Amino acid sequence: MNNTVTADVLTESADHSSHYGTGGAMGKTGFAWALFEWARNPYYILVVIYIFAPYFAREIIGADVRASGILEGLSPEEAQQTLNAKGQSAIAAVTKGAGLVAAFTAPFLGAALDRGGLRKPLLAIFLGIITVMSWLLWYAIPGESGMSTTTLTIVLMVAYVCYTYSEVTHNSMLAVSGAQKSLPAISGLGLALGNLSAALLMLGLVLMFTLPAMNQWPFAEPLFGLDASKFEIQRLAGPICAVCLAVFSIPFFLYAQDGGTKGASWFNAFKDGAKGVAATIREAAHYRQMMKYLIARMLYADAMAAFLALGAVYVSLFLGWGILEMTVYAVFGSIWAFGGGIFGGWLDTKLGPKVALIIEIVVMVASLIWQLSITRETLFFGLVDNVIIWDGIIFKSLSDLVYLGTISIVAVTATASISSSRSMLVHLAPPGRSGEFFGLYAIAGTVTVWIGPMLVEFFTNTFNSQRIGMASIAALFVIGLAVLTTVKMEKAH
């Protein structure tokens, strides 16, 4: 569909009344929609990827493994390998379990959103649950003094599922947040703000807690009496995200367009929505381009999720980076991801979402190969020797600095690809059924989330090489890219 078509000439299906809004990314409704990601996205970045998840795998699961006695008689190398494997398995189990729940329910939620009542009250419930679950992470203490590992696993899974539900609901409100031609910019702005918010929070953690605990700078000790030896810095990520979510979601609820129908029955919406999902699956041939796109997205999004999440683990082990390096790495990446959201919206507008996605995926694969060429001894697969560049606190060698630099490219293209993916979904979705297809979109991002980690684990163990394990992710990128190139961009009606 041509981007110059305006909301007043769009026709929707007889069952729905949703339409495009007015204004741009800096309009009141568009900016309010985007600001929601400033409030919510730090949870995913701080808890799911960079700070809490590694802590959970290393310390919580590690304490359980040590207490079980299975490490007795193993060499230090074998013991460490067992600890790493158990931690990774625990994280994979949480992601897999929550992903399965979301995969089987999110499409029905999305379909109901197209037919139901006001969406903000429903979204408030999801955000409230995420906020409570996030706050509870403060009590995630290794050993018997904190909540049990089973309880903590349930907390993480519930938050993960509600995060997916909130994403489906929020995405279903994108179309009414601004004019059709402005939707890529609004989507990109949301991702940019989400990453900027996370970057500022992590920068605060570094300056107020991590650096004082390690180097007594810029304060003699961590503020507010935090005790680093009790992992209070890592545990604080949960309450910080909870406060951010509760406070900064207020403008969204005040000013964003709802897009739902006041007084409509949610019971009937879910009942009719379930029928709609079943019909959509049965009639998939009528939406062939959409289905091909969702398959492509399932593959390249899984590859990207594994690349981002396991990439942090890879560099910490392979280059020996500690908590300070990893936090700075995360802040640096989030700052560049802010630009990626803006860049993604601009690239969508200039080239269209499909071409933008192809470019972004190709650059991510190239970045993966670039990163795998770096070791502690050499760069570019042995062509350049690693040398010490300076005598600072962190990132002293050429390998460290070059690897750190590559995260800027990865962050920009990965964030831009999320923006482009959402824009492409809006472009391909039949009028009045965007919520339903955003539910299927959620499946594409969750149902195979285990494939990337499985490939990495299999190839790492088979070849006893972290580099070969990470390289396997490229296969998912390439297959997803191949399917994406076959998608035709005519609007489905």
Side-chain angles (χ1 to χ4, degrees):
M1 177 180 290
N2 193 303
N3 283 344
T4 61
V5 177
T6 55
D8 59 336
V9 298
L10 291 171
T11 58
E12 307 290 353
S13 64
D15 294 330
H16 312 300
S17 60
S18 60
H19 56 274
Y20 292 106
T22 59
M26 299 310 295
K28 182 173 70 173
T29 58
F31 189 78
W33 185 94
L35 192 62
F36 175 88
E37 304 215 54
W38 171 285
R40 186 198 58 176
N41 286 21
Y43 175 86
Y44 192 87
I45 295 172
L46 271 69
V47 173
V48 177
I49 298 180
Y50 288 115
I51 296 179
F52 190 85
Y55 162 71
F56 174 77
R58 184 177 57 252
E59 305 299 341
I60 302 294
I61 301 302
D64 292 345
V65 173
R66 292 184 183 94
S68 70
I70 65 174
L71 301 181
E72 294 179 5
L74 298 180
S75 67
E77 293 78 11
E78 291 173 331
Q80 189 61 54
Q81 183 179 359
T82 301
L83 285 169
N84 291 344
K86 294 294 185 182
Q88 180 172 307
S89 296
I91 291 294
V94 172
T95 305
K96 179 181 67 177
L100 285 171
V101 173
F104 282 105
T105 55
F108 300 100
L109 170 63
L113 291 170
D114 286 333
R115 298 161 170 82
L118 298 178
R119 298 166 182 177
K120 287 183 180 179
L122 195 62
L123 189 55
I125 294 174
F126 299 145
L127 295 188
I129 295 174
I130 299 172
T131 300
V132 172
M133 298 299 105
S134 186
W135 187 273
L136 289 176
L137 297 183
W138 173 256
Y139 303 100
I141 306 170
E144 299 179 356
S145 57
M147 70 174 73
S148 69
T149 303
T150 300
T151 302
L152 180 56
T153 298
I154 294 173
V155 167
L156 291 172
M157 290 180 63
V158 169
Y160 190 109
V161 172
C162 287
Y163 189 95
T164 301
Y165 290 167
S166 72
E167 185 173 19
V168 173
T169 308
H170 182 236
N171 284 342
S172 73
M173 301 166 69
L174 174 59
V176 297
S177 297
Q180 184 187 13
K181 65 180 181 180
S182 300
L183 297 185
I186 294 172
S187 175
L189 178 62
L191 290 167
L193 290 176
N195 281 281
L196 178 61
S197 175
L200 292 176
L201 289 178
M202 287 187 289
L203 184 61
L205 286 175
V206 169
L207 294 177
M208 293 190 294
F209 309 113
T210 305
L211 280 175
M214 296 180 65
N215 298 284
Q216 293 74 53
W217 182 91
F219 306 103
E221 57 185 21
L223 300 185
F224 311 117
L226 254 65
D227 188 346
S229 67
K230 296 180 179 179
F231 309 106
E232 291 183 347
I233 297 175
Q234 293 93 327
R235 290 159 48 202
L236 187 63
I240 285 180
C241 291
V243 172
C244 181
L245 185 56
V247 173
F248 291 108
S249 62
I250 293 174
F252 167 81
F253 287 103
L254 290 177
Y255 302 114
Q257 284 287 345
D258 189 288
T261 303
K262 187 176 182 180
S265 168
W266 279 111
F267 175 80
N268 291 333
F270 275 97
K271 183 176 67 174
D272 294 342
K275 296 178 181 178
V277 171
T280 298
I281 295 174
R282 288 196 306 267
E283 302 168 4
H286 294 290
Y287 309 105
R288 186 176 179 183
Q289 303 309 317
M290 171 66 77
M291 293 305 165
K292 285 196 296 184
Y293 165 63
L294 290 176
I295 292 172
R297 195 255 174 182
M298 177 178 67
L299 294 167
Y300 74 71
D302 187 26
M304 184 177 69
F307 186 20
L308 296 178
L310 298 179
V313 176
Y314 170 83
V315 69
S316 67
L317 297 174
F318 202 69
L319 295 184
W321 287 4
I323 183 174
L324 182 57
E325 287 94 340
M326 292 305 299
T327 307
V328 174
Y329 173 71
V331 172
F332 185 70
S334 295
I335 292 173
W336 279 98
F338 168 80
I342 303 297
F343 175 75
W346 174 83
L347 197 62
D348 290 351
T349 303
K350 291 294 183 181
L351 303 178
K354 178 182 174 180
V355 176
L357 265 175
I358 290 173
I359 293 172
E360 289 149 5
I361 293 171
V362 169
V363 173
M364 276 192 283
V365 174
S367 299
L368 172 60
I369 296 172
W370 177 285
Q371 289 183 339
L372 294 176
S373 76
I374 301 171
T375 71
R376 298 189 193 188
E377 293 77 29
T378 63
L379 298 86
F380 314 126
F381 298 109
L383 295 178
V384 177
D385 290 334
N386 187 26
V387 294
I388 299 299
I389 299 297
W390 72 311
D391 189 26
I393 301 176
I394 55 175
F395 306 126
K396 300 179 181 181
S397 73
L398 180 61
S399 289
D400 291 336
L401 293 173
V402 171
Y403 198 102
L404 178 66
T406 62
I407 190 58
S408 62
I409 303 173
V410 173
V412 168
T413 52
T415 308
S417 73
I418 298 173
S419 177
S420 300
S421 295
R422 294 197 300 205
S423 296
M424 193 162 176
L425 188 286
V426 171
H427 184 96
L428 290 173
R433 300 180 70 182
S434 61
E436 182 177 335
F437 278 95
F438 265 119
L440 296 178
Y441 178 90
I443 282 186
T446 58
V447 73
T448 62
V449 73
W450 50 273
I451 291 181
M454 182 193 70
L455 287 175
V456 173
E457 181 181 13
F458 174 79
F459 282 96
T460 300
N461 292 334
T462 300
F463 294 94
N464 196 32
S465 169
Q466 283 186 269
R467 297 168 83 184
I468 294 178
M470 286 296 293
S472 66
I473 295 174
L476 282 178
F477 273 127
V478 172
I479 298 172
L481 180 62
V483 177
L484 180 64
T485 58
T486 69
V487 178
K488 297 179 181 179
M489 289 299 292
E490 291 85 353
K491 184 80 174 183
H493 289 280

